[in-house]
Amino acid sequence: MNWQTIFHEIETVDSYKRFGKVTRVIGLMIESKGPESSIGDVCYIHVGGKRKQRIVAEVVGFRDENVLLMPFSTVHDISPGCMVEATGKPLQVKVGVELIGKVLDSLGNPLDQSKLPKGLTAISIEQSPPNPLARPPIHEPIEVGVRMIDSLLTVGKGQRVGIFAGSGVGKSTLMGMIARNTNADLNVIALIGERGREVREFIERDLGSEGLKRSIVVVATSDQPALMRIKGAYTATAIAEYFRDKGMNVMLMMDSVTRVAMAQREVGLAVGEPPTTKGYTPSVFAILPKLLERTGTNEHGTITAFYTVLVDGDDMNEPIADTVRGILDGHFVLERALANKGQYPAINVLKSVSRVMNHIVTKEHRLAAEKLRELLSTYMNSEDLINIGAYKRGSSREIDEAIRYYPKIISFLKQDIHEKFSKEESIEALLELINSG
C-alpha cells in the first residue's frame, strides 16, 4: 500500500462514533432512539450494572424514526437508557485455512473458547450470488461415497440438492457418511437449530475424527436467538464461498434450511410483517433464493451443497419444502417406511431425482440406472398382489423379471454407515446387477 492510498484512507475514515439510547424492549425486539445506521448494520448495546458488557445486535428495521434492533444473545440486563453504539458495518467473520478442523458459532468464534488463529481474512457474511453468465455449466460428477447416490442419483460438482425427510429418518447419518466419504477438498457443515445434545454426537459419531480433519462446522443450537440461527446459515455459506474463490471444490451441508426459515419467520413477525402461508412471512420466501443461489459454480471453483428440509408429517407439499424444491437442482426423499424396514440410507429412489445426472454420466451408466428404476417401479406397483399371492408367475414378463431382480436391488440399495464405495465401484456394481439377469 503506497502513501497516497494511506493518506486517502485517513482522509475518508469516519472518526465519529454514533450513539443512541434504548427506549423499550418488546419480546425479541429492542427499540432505540438513534443511532444513525442502516439495515443490516451491527450495533453494540452497552449494558451497565454489576457486569459491564456490550451486547451485539443487528439493525432489522425502523419504526417512527426509531431503530429496531435484534440481539445475537439474550436481552437480559438491557434497560431503558442503555447506550447503543453504531459500527456502520454489517457482520463480518474471519476465515482462513487455519479454521479447518474447528467448530465455530454463528459469529465465527470457536465453540471450545479457544482464540482464533492469526492470519485470517475478514469477510462479510452477506454476499451476492454469482452472475448467472459467470457460472460454468456442471459437467463433472463428484464422489459422495454412498453407492445409491453415486450410481442412481449422481451428483455433479456445483450441484445443489435437497434432502427431504421427517424427523428421525436418518438425515444426520447420511450427511455424516457423505462428509466422511466424499472426495471434495473441504466440507463446511452448518448445524442450524439442532438440539445441543446432538451437536457433539454428530461431530464424534457421524462425522468422526477423520471427517472433522477436513471440515469446518458452524453451530447454532435451537436455544439461541433467531438471529443467531439465521446468521449461522449465512456464515457457513460465506466460509464455503471464500474457499470456492480460492479454486477449491467445497461440500456445503446445511441441517436444516427449514429451521433457518422458522428463525426468519420469528424475526419477520417481531418486526411487524404479516403472516402468510402457514404463518411464514414474505421475507422468508425472499431470503431462501438469495441464500441457496449463493452456492454452486463460479469461475474459480465449486460449492456442492446438500440442504436438509424437515417435512412436517412427511408432507412434501408444505410451503418451505415446495419452495426449496423449486430452487434446487435435485431432491432426495427419505422415507420412514423404508427406515422401518431397515433399509438405510432410506432414500426412495423412485421419488428422488438429480437434475444434472443425465448430462454428466455415460450412456451405459444412464441406461443401467433407468433399467433399475423401471424394475423397482414395476415391483412396487405390483407389490400388494405379490404379497397376498394374487399374482401368478408367467402372467407378465415384466413383473416376473422385477420379482427376480428385487432381492438383488434391495441388497444393492442398502449400505452400512461405515461402508465406503468409490464412484467407480458403485457404477461397476450397478452394471453387474443389471447384466446379471
Side-chain angles (χ1 to χ4, degrees), residues 258-303:
T258 308
R259 294 192 180 112
V260 178
M262 288 176 173
Q264 181 61 38
R265 177 173 63 183
E266 284 183 45
V267 173
L269 291 172
V271 173
E273 283 187 74
T276 53
T277 317
K278 282 204 173 178
Y280 287 102
T281 56
S283 62
V284 173
F285 302 101
I287 72 154
L288 283 176
K290 290 180 183 176
L291 177 64
L292 303 181
E293 285 289 349
R294 286 170 60 180
T295 53
T297 60
N298 73 357
E299 62 270 31
H300 305 294
T302 66
I303 301 174

Short mmCIF file of all heavy atoms in Angstrom, two decimals, residues 258-303:
data_model
loop_
_atom_site.label_atom_id
_atom_site.label_comp_id
_atom_site.label_asym_id
_atom_site.label_seq_id
_atom_site.Cartn_x
_atom_site.Cartn_y
_atom_site.Cartn_z
N THR A 258 -35.02 -25.61 6.89
CA THR A 258 -36.34 -25.35 7.47
C THR A 258 -36.22 -24.52 8.74
O THR A 258 -37.03 -23.61 8.98
CB THR A 258 -37.05 -26.69 7.80
OG1 THR A 258 -37.04 -27.51 6.65
CG2 THR A 258 -38.48 -26.46 8.25
N ARG A 259 -35.21 -24.81 9.55
CA ARG A 259 -35.05 -24.07 10.81
C ARG A 259 -34.55 -22.65 10.55
O ARG A 259 -34.80 -21.74 11.34
CB ARG A 259 -34.11 -24.83 11.74
CG ARG A 259 -34.72 -26.17 12.20
CD ARG A 259 -33.94 -26.78 13.33
NE ARG A 259 -34.54 -28.04 13.75
CZ ARG A 259 -33.98 -29.23 13.59
NH1 ARG A 259 -32.80 -29.32 13.00
NH2 ARG A 259 -34.56 -30.32 14.01
N VAL A 260 -33.84 -22.45 9.44
CA VAL A 260 -33.47 -21.09 9.04
C VAL A 260 -34.73 -20.31 8.69
O VAL A 260 -34.91 -19.15 9.09
CB VAL A 260 -32.50 -21.11 7.83
CG1 VAL A 260 -32.17 -19.69 7.37
CG2 VAL A 260 -31.22 -21.87 8.16
N ALA A 261 -35.64 -20.95 7.96
CA ALA A 261 -36.91 -20.32 7.58
C ALA A 261 -37.74 -20.00 8.82
O ALA A 261 -38.36 -18.93 8.91
CB ALA A 261 -37.68 -21.22 6.62
N MET A 262 -37.76 -20.90 9.79
CA MET A 262 -38.52 -20.67 11.02
C MET A 262 -37.94 -19.49 11.80
O MET A 262 -38.67 -18.69 12.38
CB MET A 262 -38.50 -21.93 11.89
CG MET A 262 -39.35 -23.06 11.36
SD MET A 262 -39.19 -24.54 12.37
CE MET A 262 -40.45 -25.60 11.65
N ALA A 263 -36.60 -19.39 11.82
CA ALA A 263 -35.96 -18.27 12.51
C ALA A 263 -36.29 -16.95 11.83
O ALA A 263 -36.57 -15.94 12.48
CB ALA A 263 -34.44 -18.49 12.55
N GLN A 264 -36.28 -16.95 10.49
CA GLN A 264 -36.63 -15.73 9.75
C GLN A 264 -38.09 -15.36 9.98
O GLN A 264 -38.44 -14.19 10.03
CB GLN A 264 -36.36 -15.93 8.25
CG GLN A 264 -36.66 -14.72 7.39
CD GLN A 264 -35.82 -13.51 7.75
OE1 GLN A 264 -34.64 -13.63 8.09
NE2 GLN A 264 -36.41 -12.32 7.70
N ARG A 265 -38.95 -16.36 10.14
CA ARG A 265 -40.35 -16.09 10.46
C ARG A 265 -40.47 -15.37 11.80
O ARG A 265 -41.23 -14.42 11.93
CB ARG A 265 -41.15 -17.40 10.49
CG ARG A 265 -42.62 -17.22 10.89
CD ARG A 265 -43.41 -18.51 10.75
NE ARG A 265 -42.93 -19.56 11.62
CZ ARG A 265 -43.43 -20.80 11.63
NH1 ARG A 265 -44.39 -21.14 10.80
NH2 ARG A 265 -42.94 -21.71 12.45
N GLU A 266 -39.68 -15.82 12.80
CA GLU A 266 -39.68 -15.16 14.11
C GLU A 266 -39.29 -13.69 13.98
O GLU A 266 -39.92 -12.81 14.56
CB GLU A 266 -38.70 -15.85 15.06
CG GLU A 266 -39.19 -17.16 15.63
CD GLU A 266 -38.19 -17.74 16.61
OE1 GLU A 266 -37.67 -16.98 17.46
OE2 GLU A 266 -37.90 -18.95 16.52
N VAL A 267 -38.23 -13.43 13.21
CA VAL A 267 -37.75 -12.06 13.02
C VAL A 267 -38.82 -11.24 12.30
O VAL A 267 -39.14 -10.11 12.69
CB VAL A 267 -36.42 -12.04 12.24
CG1 VAL A 267 -36.01 -10.61 11.91
CG2 VAL A 267 -35.32 -12.72 13.04
N GLY A 268 -39.38 -11.79 11.22
CA GLY A 268 -40.38 -11.08 10.43
C GLY A 268 -41.60 -10.71 11.25
O GLY A 268 -42.10 -9.57 11.18
N LEU A 269 -42.10 -11.65 12.06
CA LEU A 269 -43.27 -11.37 12.89
C LEU A 269 -42.96 -10.32 13.95
O LEU A 269 -43.80 -9.46 14.25
CB LEU A 269 -43.76 -12.67 13.55
CG LEU A 269 -44.37 -13.71 12.62
CD1 LEU A 269 -44.64 -15.01 13.37
CD2 LEU A 269 -45.66 -13.20 11.98
N ALA A 270 -41.74 -10.36 14.51
CA ALA A 270 -41.36 -9.37 15.53
C ALA A 270 -41.26 -7.98 14.94
O ALA A 270 -41.59 -6.98 15.60
CB ALA A 270 -40.02 -9.78 16.16
N VAL A 271 -40.83 -7.88 13.67
CA VAL A 271 -40.70 -6.57 13.01
C VAL A 271 -42.08 -6.02 12.62
O VAL A 271 -42.26 -4.83 12.46
CB VAL A 271 -39.77 -6.69 11.78
CG1 VAL A 271 -39.74 -5.40 10.97
CG2 VAL A 271 -38.36 -7.03 12.21
N GLY A 272 -43.05 -6.92 12.44
CA GLY A 272 -44.38 -6.48 12.08
C GLY A 272 -44.85 -6.93 10.71
O GLY A 272 -45.85 -6.42 10.19
N GLU A 273 -44.15 -7.90 10.10
CA GLU A 273 -44.59 -8.41 8.80
C GLU A 273 -45.87 -9.22 8.97
O GLU A 273 -46.06 -9.88 10.00
CB GLU A 273 -43.52 -9.34 8.21
CG GLU A 273 -42.33 -8.64 7.60
CD GLU A 273 -41.44 -9.66 6.89
OE1 GLU A 273 -41.82 -10.12 5.81
OE2 GLU A 273 -40.38 -10.00 7.43
N PRO A 274 -46.73 -9.23 7.96
CA PRO A 274 -47.95 -10.03 8.06
C PRO A 274 -47.65 -11.51 7.83
O PRO A 274 -46.86 -11.85 6.95
CB PRO A 274 -48.83 -9.49 6.94
CG PRO A 274 -47.85 -8.96 5.93
CD PRO A 274 -46.69 -8.45 6.71
N PRO A 275 -48.24 -12.41 8.61
CA PRO A 275 -48.05 -13.84 8.34
C PRO A 275 -48.84 -14.23 7.09
O PRO A 275 -49.95 -13.77 6.89
CB PRO A 275 -48.62 -14.52 9.59
CG PRO A 275 -49.58 -13.53 10.16
CD PRO A 275 -49.08 -12.17 9.79
N THR A 276 -48.23 -15.08 6.25
CA THR A 276 -48.92 -15.51 5.03
C THR A 276 -49.11 -17.03 5.08
O THR A 276 -49.75 -17.52 5.97
CB THR A 276 -48.15 -15.07 3.77
OG1 THR A 276 -46.78 -15.53 3.87
CG2 THR A 276 -48.16 -13.56 3.62
N THR A 277 -48.49 -17.77 4.16
CA THR A 277 -48.70 -19.22 4.10
C THR A 277 -48.20 -19.92 5.35
O THR A 277 -47.03 -19.85 5.67
CB THR A 277 -47.96 -19.80 2.87
OG1 THR A 277 -48.16 -18.94 1.77
CG2 THR A 277 -48.46 -21.19 2.54
N LYS A 278 -49.11 -20.59 6.06
CA LYS A 278 -48.79 -21.32 7.29
C LYS A 278 -48.02 -20.47 8.29
O LYS A 278 -47.13 -20.96 8.99
CB LYS A 278 -48.02 -22.60 6.97
CG LYS A 278 -48.92 -23.73 6.46
CD LYS A 278 -48.29 -25.09 6.71
CE LYS A 278 -49.27 -26.19 6.36
NZ LYS A 278 -48.69 -27.52 6.55
N GLY A 279 -48.29 -19.19 8.33
CA GLY A 279 -47.65 -18.30 9.30
C GLY A 279 -46.30 -17.77 8.88
O GLY A 279 -45.71 -16.95 9.58
N TYR A 280 -45.75 -18.25 7.73
CA TYR A 280 -44.47 -17.75 7.25
C TYR A 280 -44.65 -16.35 6.66
O TYR A 280 -45.62 -16.09 5.96
CB TYR A 280 -43.86 -18.68 6.20
CG TYR A 280 -43.34 -19.97 6.79
CD1 TYR A 280 -44.06 -21.15 6.68
CD2 TYR A 280 -42.12 -20.01 7.46
CE1 TYR A 280 -43.60 -22.34 7.22
CE2 TYR A 280 -41.65 -21.19 8.01
CZ TYR A 280 -42.38 -22.35 7.89
OH TYR A 280 -41.91 -23.51 8.44
N THR A 281 -43.71 -15.46 6.95
CA THR A 281 -43.79 -14.08 6.48
C THR A 281 -43.19 -13.95 5.08
O THR A 281 -42.39 -14.81 4.67
CB THR A 281 -43.04 -13.15 7.45
OG1 THR A 281 -41.69 -13.61 7.58
CG2 THR A 281 -43.69 -13.14 8.83
N PRO A 282 -43.52 -12.89 4.34
CA PRO A 282 -42.97 -12.74 2.98
C PRO A 282 -41.45 -12.76 2.92
O PRO A 282 -40.88 -13.24 1.94
CB PRO A 282 -43.52 -11.38 2.54
CG PRO A 282 -44.77 -11.20 3.33
CD PRO A 282 -44.52 -11.85 4.65
N SER A 283 -40.78 -12.26 3.97
CA SER A 283 -39.31 -12.21 3.94
C SER A 283 -38.69 -13.60 3.88
O SER A 283 -37.58 -13.78 3.37
CB SER A 283 -38.76 -11.45 5.15
OG SER A 283 -39.12 -12.11 6.36
N VAL A 284 -39.39 -14.60 4.42
CA VAL A 284 -38.88 -15.98 4.38
C VAL A 284 -38.68 -16.42 2.93
O VAL A 284 -37.63 -16.97 2.55
CB VAL A 284 -39.84 -16.95 5.11
CG1 VAL A 284 -39.38 -18.40 4.92
CG2 VAL A 284 -39.93 -16.61 6.58
N PHE A 285 -39.70 -16.16 2.10
CA PHE A 285 -39.64 -16.58 0.71
C PHE A 285 -38.75 -15.67 -0.13
O PHE A 285 -38.44 -15.99 -1.27
CB PHE A 285 -41.06 -16.65 0.13
CG PHE A 285 -41.95 -17.57 0.91
CD1 PHE A 285 -42.87 -17.07 1.82
CD2 PHE A 285 -41.83 -18.94 0.78
CE1 PHE A 285 -43.68 -17.93 2.56
CE2 PHE A 285 -42.63 -19.81 1.52
CZ PHE A 285 -43.56 -19.30 2.42
N ALA A 286 -38.33 -14.54 0.46
CA ALA A 286 -37.38 -13.65 -0.23
C ALA A 286 -35.94 -14.06 0.06
O ALA A 286 -35.08 -14.00 -0.83
CB ALA A 286 -37.61 -12.20 0.20
N ILE A 287 -35.66 -14.50 1.31
CA ILE A 287 -34.25 -14.81 1.66
C ILE A 287 -33.84 -16.19 1.16
O ILE A 287 -32.66 -16.42 0.90
CB ILE A 287 -33.97 -14.69 3.18
CG1 ILE A 287 -34.64 -15.84 3.96
CG2 ILE A 287 -34.33 -13.33 3.71
CD1 ILE A 287 -33.94 -16.15 5.25
N LEU A 288 -34.79 -17.14 1.02
CA LEU A 288 -34.40 -18.51 0.63
C LEU A 288 -33.69 -18.55 -0.72
O LEU A 288 -32.61 -19.14 -0.83
CB LEU A 288 -35.62 -19.43 0.64
CG LEU A 288 -36.09 -19.91 2.02
CD1 LEU A 288 -37.35 -20.75 1.90
CD2 LEU A 288 -35.00 -20.69 2.73
N PRO A 289 -34.24 -17.92 -1.78
CA PRO A 289 -33.49 -17.96 -3.06
C PRO A 289 -32.14 -17.26 -2.96
O PRO A 289 -31.16 -17.74 -3.54
CB PRO A 289 -34.42 -17.22 -4.03
CG PRO A 289 -35.75 -17.21 -3.38
CD PRO A 289 -35.51 -17.24 -1.92
N LYS A 290 -32.07 -16.15 -2.22
CA LYS A 290 -30.80 -15.42 -2.09
C LYS A 290 -29.74 -16.29 -1.41
O LYS A 290 -28.57 -16.26 -1.79
CB LYS A 290 -31.00 -14.13 -1.30
CG LYS A 290 -31.80 -13.08 -2.04
CD LYS A 290 -31.97 -11.84 -1.19
CE LYS A 290 -32.83 -10.79 -1.91
NZ LYS A 290 -33.09 -9.62 -1.05
N LEU A 291 -30.16 -17.04 -0.39
CA LEU A 291 -29.22 -17.90 0.34
C LEU A 291 -28.81 -19.11 -0.50
O LEU A 291 -27.62 -19.42 -0.65
CB LEU A 291 -29.86 -18.36 1.65
CG LEU A 291 -29.05 -19.33 2.51
CD1 LEU A 291 -27.76 -18.66 3.01
CD2 LEU A 291 -29.87 -19.82 3.69
N LEU A 292 -29.78 -19.78 -1.11
CA LEU A 292 -29.50 -21.03 -1.83
C LEU A 292 -28.79 -20.79 -3.16
O LEU A 292 -28.02 -21.63 -3.62
CB LEU A 292 -30.80 -21.80 -2.07
CG LEU A 292 -31.62 -22.15 -0.82
CD1 LEU A 292 -32.87 -22.93 -1.21
CD2 LEU A 292 -30.81 -22.94 0.18
N GLU A 293 -29.03 -19.63 -3.78
CA GLU A 293 -28.38 -19.33 -5.07
C GLU A 293 -26.91 -18.94 -4.91
O GLU A 293 -26.18 -18.87 -5.89
CB GLU A 293 -29.13 -18.22 -5.80
CG GLU A 293 -30.44 -18.66 -6.43
CD GLU A 293 -30.26 -19.57 -7.64
OE1 GLU A 293 -29.12 -19.69 -8.13
OE2 GLU A 293 -31.25 -20.16 -8.09
N ARG A 294 -26.47 -18.67 -3.67
CA ARG A 294 -25.07 -18.30 -3.47
C ARG A 294 -24.13 -19.47 -3.70
O ARG A 294 -22.95 -19.28 -4.02
CB ARG A 294 -24.88 -17.74 -2.05
CG ARG A 294 -25.44 -16.34 -1.90
CD ARG A 294 -25.46 -15.88 -0.44
NE ARG A 294 -24.14 -15.87 0.16
CZ ARG A 294 -23.92 -15.50 1.43
NH1 ARG A 294 -24.93 -15.12 2.19
NH2 ARG A 294 -22.70 -15.50 1.93
N THR A 295 -24.63 -20.69 -3.52
CA THR A 295 -23.78 -21.86 -3.75
C THR A 295 -23.82 -22.25 -5.23
O THR A 295 -24.51 -21.63 -6.02
CB THR A 295 -24.25 -23.04 -2.87
OG1 THR A 295 -25.65 -23.26 -3.11
CG2 THR A 295 -24.05 -22.73 -1.40
N GLY A 296 -23.08 -23.27 -5.58
CA GLY A 296 -22.99 -23.69 -6.99
C GLY A 296 -21.62 -23.38 -7.55
O GLY A 296 -20.62 -23.30 -6.83
N THR A 297 -21.55 -23.19 -8.85
CA THR A 297 -20.27 -22.96 -9.52
C THR A 297 -20.02 -21.47 -9.71
O THR A 297 -20.94 -20.67 -9.75
CB THR A 297 -20.26 -23.63 -10.91
OG1 THR A 297 -21.31 -23.06 -11.70
CG2 THR A 297 -20.48 -25.12 -10.81
N ASN A 298 -18.74 -21.11 -9.79
CA ASN A 298 -18.34 -19.81 -10.33
C ASN A 298 -17.05 -20.01 -11.11
O ASN A 298 -16.60 -21.15 -11.30
CB ASN A 298 -18.24 -18.73 -9.24
CG ASN A 298 -17.02 -18.88 -8.34
OD1 ASN A 298 -16.24 -19.82 -8.47
ND2 ASN A 298 -16.85 -17.94 -7.42
N GLU A 299 -16.45 -18.93 -11.58
CA GLU A 299 -15.28 -19.08 -12.47
C GLU A 299 -14.05 -19.62 -11.75
O GLU A 299 -13.06 -20.00 -12.39
CB GLU A 299 -14.94 -17.75 -13.14
CG GLU A 299 -14.57 -16.61 -12.20
CD GLU A 299 -15.76 -15.78 -11.75
OE1 GLU A 299 -16.86 -16.34 -11.63
OE2 GLU A 299 -15.58 -14.58 -11.49
N HIS A 300 -14.08 -19.68 -10.40
CA HIS A 300 -12.90 -20.13 -9.64
C HIS A 300 -13.01 -21.58 -9.18
O HIS A 300 -12.07 -22.36 -9.29
CB HIS A 300 -12.69 -19.23 -8.42
CG HIS A 300 -12.58 -17.78 -8.75
ND1 HIS A 300 -11.53 -17.26 -9.48
CD2 HIS A 300 -13.40 -16.73 -8.48
CE1 HIS A 300 -11.71 -15.95 -9.63
NE2 HIS A 300 -12.83 -15.61 -9.04
N GLY A 301 -14.16 -21.95 -8.61
CA GLY A 301 -14.32 -23.29 -8.04
C GLY A 301 -15.79 -23.66 -7.94
O GLY A 301 -16.63 -23.08 -8.64
N THR A 302 -16.08 -24.62 -7.07
CA THR A 302 -17.47 -25.08 -6.95
C THR A 302 -17.86 -25.24 -5.48
O THR A 302 -17.02 -25.53 -4.63
CB THR A 302 -17.68 -26.44 -7.66
OG1 THR A 302 -16.92 -27.45 -6.97
CG2 THR A 302 -17.28 -26.39 -9.12
N ILE A 303 -19.15 -25.07 -5.21
CA ILE A 303 -19.74 -25.46 -3.93
C ILE A 303 -20.86 -26.44 -4.24
O ILE A 303 -21.88 -26.07 -4.82
CB ILE A 303 -20.31 -24.26 -3.15
CG1 ILE A 303 -19.24 -23.21 -2.84
CG2 ILE A 303 -20.95 -24.75 -1.83
CD1 ILE A 303 -19.78 -21.95 -2.19
#
